[in-house]
Amino acid sequence: MNYLKLYKEYIKRSLYSKLVYKVNSLIGIFGFLIGQVFSILGIYFIVKANGKLMDWDVYQILFLYGATNISIGIDHLFSDRLWTVSYWEVKDGKLDTLFLRPLPLLFQVLASEFQTEALGEMIVGIGLMIFSSFFINLHVTFGNILFLIVGLICGALIITSLKIIVASFAFVFKRSGPLLQIVYNFLNYSKYPMKIFPYFIRIIFCFVIPLGIAIYFPVGMLLNIETLYNPYYLCLIALGFTIILITLSILIWSKFVKKYESTGS
């Protein structure tokens, strides 16, 4: 079965359904942009008033914020339906039609929703990185650029894997949306320099939720703040952690999905 062709068809249908209500889609994108702008302004004024935050100036923090936003936006673009699965679809027994189709449930969930509102996050992220780069000296090497690109992709896949794991608990407990919200809120801390957090939080971001390796370190090396690491080795480490989390998320989903009850409660 050609899953790539099927995925393209799912995306076309999702886009078509959103284009029917163009104004709603534009309002959603614009709403995300406005929310991001206010968050960024808050960070800008706070850091600007204090000079630096653990050796990071305001433009370096904005660069990291933008990079993290890109990974979050990529995940948001492709895996947004996991939220409704976590909150309502399992509890209300609304996944029945998906089970009747001869396709893996996880594939259908991920393919059925192409969230155009995430474009707002990605636009902000790219804009922040371009804007802040005019005010900082970037340590541009092939290795650092490669690590950044690989890291941003791995970061998105790590976030999606964590969402799949948490969403899987809905098949057991009917709802896992509140837990998913807690985890997602915690992920927002990856937008800030790891040095400002206690040691145990840094450990979590490096080895449990490895966004530190996937996003913080490539940004830190490009900004010439983290200089004691080989970008090629770190690329492999980031890829290794990502593959482990993807595999783990699929295994947990496959096991827990067997607990689904179609009637809901």
Side-chain angles (χ1 to χ4, degrees), residues 71 141-155 210-222 226 229-239:
S71 287
T141 66
F142 177 80
N144 286 348
I145 296 297
L146 175 65
F147 186 25
L148 179 65
I149 294 171
V150 171
L152 294 181
I153 296 171
C154 286
L211 292 177
I213 294 174
I215 300 175
Y216 172 78
F217 281 113
V219 170
M221 293 174 69
L222 194 60
E226 301 288 345
Y229 309 99
N230 185 308
Y232 301 105
Y233 291 153
L234 286 175
C235 265
L236 294 175
I237 293 172
L239 286 169

Side-chain angles (χ1 to χ4, degrees), residues 136-192:
I136 51 183
N137 294 318
L138 297 176
H139 183 53
V140 179
T141 66
F142 177 80
N144 286 348
I145 296 297
L146 175 65
F147 186 25
L148 179 65
I149 294 171
V150 171
L152 294 181
I153 296 171
C154 286
L157 292 172
I158 288 168
I159 295 169
T160 301
S161 298
L162 291 170
K163 286 170 67 176
I164 292 171
I165 291 171
V166 178
S168 299
F169 284 93
F171 295 114
V172 179
F173 304 108
K174 304 305 179 187
R175 291 181 75 226
S176 61
L179 177 60
L180 180 56
Q181 188 65 61
I182 292 170
V183 172
Y184 207 74
N185 289 341
F186 183 79
L187 294 180
N188 283 325
Y189 290 123
S190 63
K191 295 179 179 179
Y192 305 97

Side-chain angles (χ1 to χ4, degrees), residues 188-244:
N188 283 325
Y189 290 123
S190 63
K191 295 179 179 179
Y192 305 97
M194 282 177 56
K195 291 181 179 180
I196 71 173
F197 299 116
Y199 187 71
F200 77 95
I201 297 293
R202 301 184 208 176
I203 294 296
I204 290 173
F205 273 125
C206 283
F207 302 107
V208 181
I209 304 174
L211 292 177
I213 294 174
I215 300 175
Y216 172 78
F217 281 113
V219 170
M221 293 174 69
L222 194 60
L223 297 176
N224 209 26
I225 294 175
E226 301 288 345
T227 58
L228 301 177
Y229 309 99
N230 185 308
Y232 301 105
Y233 291 153
L234 286 175
C235 265
L236 294 175
I237 293 172
L239 286 169
F241 272 116
T242 303
I243 292 170
I244 290 171

Side-chain angles (χ1 to χ4, degrees), residues 23-35:
V23 175
N24 286 345
S25 296
L26 291 174
I27 290 174
I29 294 172
F30 186 70
F32 265 90
L33 285 171
I34 294 297

Side-chain angles (χ1 to χ4, degrees), residues 72-121:
I72 292 174
I74 294 171
D75 161 74
H76 188 189
L77 195 65
F78 296 105
S79 69
D80 199 53
R81 190 171 176 179
L82 288 169
W83 286 97
T84 58
V85 170
S86 299
Y87 271 105
W88 304 291
E89 292 190 79
V90 173
K91 181 177 71 71
D92 297 335
K94 292 184 176 180
L95 295 178
D96 295 14
T97 55
L98 301 188
F99 276 96
L100 294 174
R101 298 170 186 170
L103 290 169
L105 178 67
L106 183 58
F107 172 82
Q108 294 183 74
V109 169
L110 294 178
S112 60
E113 181 70 28
F114 189 77
Q115 185 53 268
T116 53
E117 293 177 358
L119 296 174
E121 288 175 304

